[in-house]
Amino acid sequence: MSHRHHPIWPEPARRRLDYRRELNPAQYQAVTATEGPVLVIAGAGSGKTRTLVYRLAYLVDQGVEPGAILLLTFTRKAAQEMLTRAAHLLDRPLTQVMGGTFHSVCYHWLRQYGGLLGHPEGFTVMDRADQEHLLAMLKEQLGLKGLPGPFPRKETLAQILSDLVNKGLSLEGLLARDYPQFLDQRRPLARLAAAYQEEKARLHLLDYDDLLVEGRRLLSHHPEVRRRLSDRYRYIMVDEYQDTNRLQAELVRLLAYTHDNVMAVGDDCQSIYSFRGADFRNIMDFPRLFPGTRIIKLEENYRSTQPILDLANAIIAGAREKYTKCLFSRQSGGLRPRLYRAATENEQSRLVVAQVRDLHRQGLPLNRMAVLFRAAYHSFDLEIELVRAGVPFMKFGGFKFMESAHVKDLLSYLKVVANPRDSLSWQRLLTLIPGVGRATARKFTEKLERDFSLEEALTWLAGRRQSGLKDLAEVLEVLQDPGQTLMSRLNLALSHYEPLMPGRFDDYPKRLRDLEHLLAIAARYSELRTFLNDLTLEPPSGLADITRPTHDYLTLSTIHSAKGLEWEAVFIIWAAEGRFPAFYALEREEEEEEERRLMYVAVTRAKRHLTVIFPSVSYNRSLGMTVNSPSRFIADLPRTLLEPWRVEVEE
């Protein structure tokens, strides 16, 4: 007999949650607002997840069936964590709550109702690798491989097709904005996109983005399904609403068809993912989409000291469009954020290293510090200094400087001049040349091993029938001239390498910016060997083991990769006009606005120590040495918010 029905096993009395005591007034308001549309503007560090967890618990406490709740998040992990925490609060499982990503929820519906859209029960969802394989096959079938000019590789093709769905642009509009290097290929790309759709239909395949497209088609074209699903999910909660794209916002609107019980939680000031298709307008237009919306603002911050929040508030106050809020903390005291104007980029790097060491000596572990930057290449010089100082670090977002193919390519020109026996660099250099395969490169390096001098190597190259090898020999001839400066050598190598980049990388415009920055780093070296040695120094011992969570390492991260994270001490580098905001982002007002929000996100990652730095002068390939002014987001702020600081750094 089951114990459950036996009189000597009574149900344990469940503790009642005291919501008023557990939450601050604004959180309590959000948690207990159960009916109608609610928009929760959750400032950085204001307990957004806690609010969602308690709202889940509160709904169930009020007698709402768990199966009537839908929780939409951006990762499965986030949904699981919230449901686990709410179940723990309630002391009961919440397995019937539908929780997950927009994609997984749409997949669930399509399994149930896909037949209405012509998808048989056995349809397959392709992962990115399958999608790329199919695109490569179609590219070959359509004879697009032999087209003149650069044509996107399969990985880029998959990204372009994904962007078309998530950004809601036409093919021509998308190419003009994000892939101008492929604009001339728009007709063959349109043919390929059409063939891809036909092939998916024929083989009963869907890709990841189709899940959203078909989910919307199901709800908009089949009113009976829309009503049934809307009736089933009487309470809808959406996390990180500022990161939704147009399609996802439409899905939410369609799903709330019978009741309008939607709670959207997010922060307009942290809308920074437009490059992935996130639409800032969604959170701003929510009250128009859902008339009668109640707006609740979470402004109490549990992460940062007040001086850091004062700076964040002042930065975002300049935003053209926002939900006005003012972050505050009950923590007393705290240091004012510091503003450093370094003389050069290298001084900026050495300042960071000196301060990191200083804080570390005071007992702050490296893993509680981070250096944040707008673009991945901004940390290149710092990476060299950290390696030199023996400070272990991990980089998130973008390329790690010395591991990126384009940097290795460019350096191989200089390496073979510095050491003609470096067969690895010769291999790399020769295979860059169109028409030169591994076999030719191997034949050449075998000769090298028989004590080939640089002169003999150049004579051998000049005697080949491939014109590319003759050109390379001429370039190397000039590079080996001892009268050449390091800068002129790098510029010459780059002018030879630049035309080869489109055939090697689809994102070559971005990689070219990296290489131009490498020239800026080279500007402070007078001698080739010292430059190469500094760039290829062995990483500090133990760096290979830093994947172990216990290891103490400094975080280097783009701001995009740092969202949602926090550190005791944060350094924001390259806070200069043209770098942050980037010059190209100043062409459109909405992009400049997003750059401001990025600065706000960067500042609000810091708990106790915040340092903002920019170099006074820097090298630009087309302009030479240029003078930098501080980022417009901090230039006009009251000086009481940022403490100007000057310190000597060790040579």
Side-chain angles (χ1 to χ4, degrees), residues 166-226:
N166 292 304
K167 296 184 181 180
L169 294 168
S170 67
L171 177 61
E172 188 154 351
L174 176 72
L175 294 176
R177 199 182 86 172
D178 297 343
Y179 302 91
Q181 65 270 37
F182 300 125
L183 202 49
D184 290 347
Q185 306 284 12
R186 56 191 178 278
R187 284 193 177 80
L189 279 170
R191 273 172 58 215
L192 181 64
Y196 176 64
Q197 296 301 341
E198 285 166 22
E199 196 65 2
K200 282 189 301 181
R202 190 176 73 80
L203 300 170
H204 301 307
L205 297 171
L206 294 179
D207 62 35
Y208 194 58
D209 298 303
D210 289 330
L211 295 172
L212 297 185
V213 173
E214 294 301 273
R216 176 181 59 181
R217 191 156 74 95
L218 178 69
L219 295 180
S220 54
H221 289 30
H222 296 276
E224 72 292 351
V225 176
R226 180 168 74 228

Side-chain angles (χ1 to χ4, degrees), residues 89 124 144 150 189 207 219 288 338 346 348 380 392 446 456 478 497 524 590 619:
L89 285 177
T124 308
L144 303 179
L189 279 170
D207 62 35
L219 295 180
R288 191 177 54 74
R338 288 175 174 179
N346 187 242
Q348 171 181 258
F380 286 176
E446 281 165 7
E456 287 173 291
V478 182
Y497 179 56
R524 64 185 168 91
E590 66 269 21
Y619 175 82

Side-chain angles (χ1 to χ4, degrees), residues 293-341:
T293 291
R294 187 171 166 191
I295 298 173
I296 298 166
K297 296 173 185 176
L298 306 185
E299 296 170 295
E300 182 170 353
N301 176 287
Y302 294 93
R303 176 187 299 154
S304 309
T305 56
Q306 194 59 48
I308 291 170
L309 298 178
D310 290 341
L311 178 61
N313 288 332
I315 288 167
I316 212 64
R320 181 171 52 95
E321 194 179 2
K322 61 189 175 297
Y323 290 102
T324 304
K325 62 180 178 302
C326 189
L327 296 178
F328 68 92
S329 167
R330 292 182 199 270
Q331 295 181 55
S332 58
L335 300 165
R336 266 200 302 166
R338 288 175 174 179
L339 174 65
Y340 286 89
R341 182 194 290 267

Side-chain angles (χ1 to χ4, degrees), residues 420-432:
R421 304 293 299 282
D422 181 349
S423 57
L424 283 176
S425 295
W426 274 115
Q427 282 266 352
R428 184 167 206 108
L429 189 55
L430 294 177
T431 50
L432 290 176

Side-chain angles (χ1 to χ4, degrees), residues 336-340 351-352 355 359 370 372 569-573 606 609-613 642 645:
R336 266 200 302 166
R338 288 175 174 179
L339 174 65
Y340 286 89
L351 273 168
V352 171
Q355 287 199 43
L359 287 167
L372 305 182
V570 167
F571 302 87
I572 302 170
I573 59 172
H609 303 270
L610 175 64
T611 302
V612 183
I613 315 182
L642 274 159
W645 203 261

Side-chain angles (χ1 to χ4, degrees), residues 407-433 441 444-445 448 452-458 461 469 471-481 486 489-490 492-493 496 528-529 531-533 536:
V407 171
K408 287 183 167 179
D409 287 350
L410 188 66
L411 291 180
S412 63
Y413 287 83
L414 303 189
K415 285 183 171 183
V416 298
V417 169
N419 173 15
R421 304 293 299 282
D422 181 349
S423 57
L424 283 176
S425 295
W426 274 115
Q427 282 266 352
R428 184 167 206 108
L429 189 55
L430 294 177
T431 50
L432 290 176
I433 308 302
F444 176 79
T445 51
L448 268 186
F452 218 28
S453 70
L454 185 59
E455 282 66 29
E456 287 173 291
L458 297 184
L461 290 174
L469 289 178
D471 293 343
L472 178 62
E474 285 172 23
V475 169
L476 294 175
E477 182 73 53
V478 182
L479 287 179
Q480 66 150 345
D481 177 358
L486 175 59
R489 282 171 162 159
L490 263 173
L492 176 62
H496 183 265
L528 175 58
R529 274 175 207 282
F531 174 67
L532 290 174
N533 285 343
T536 48

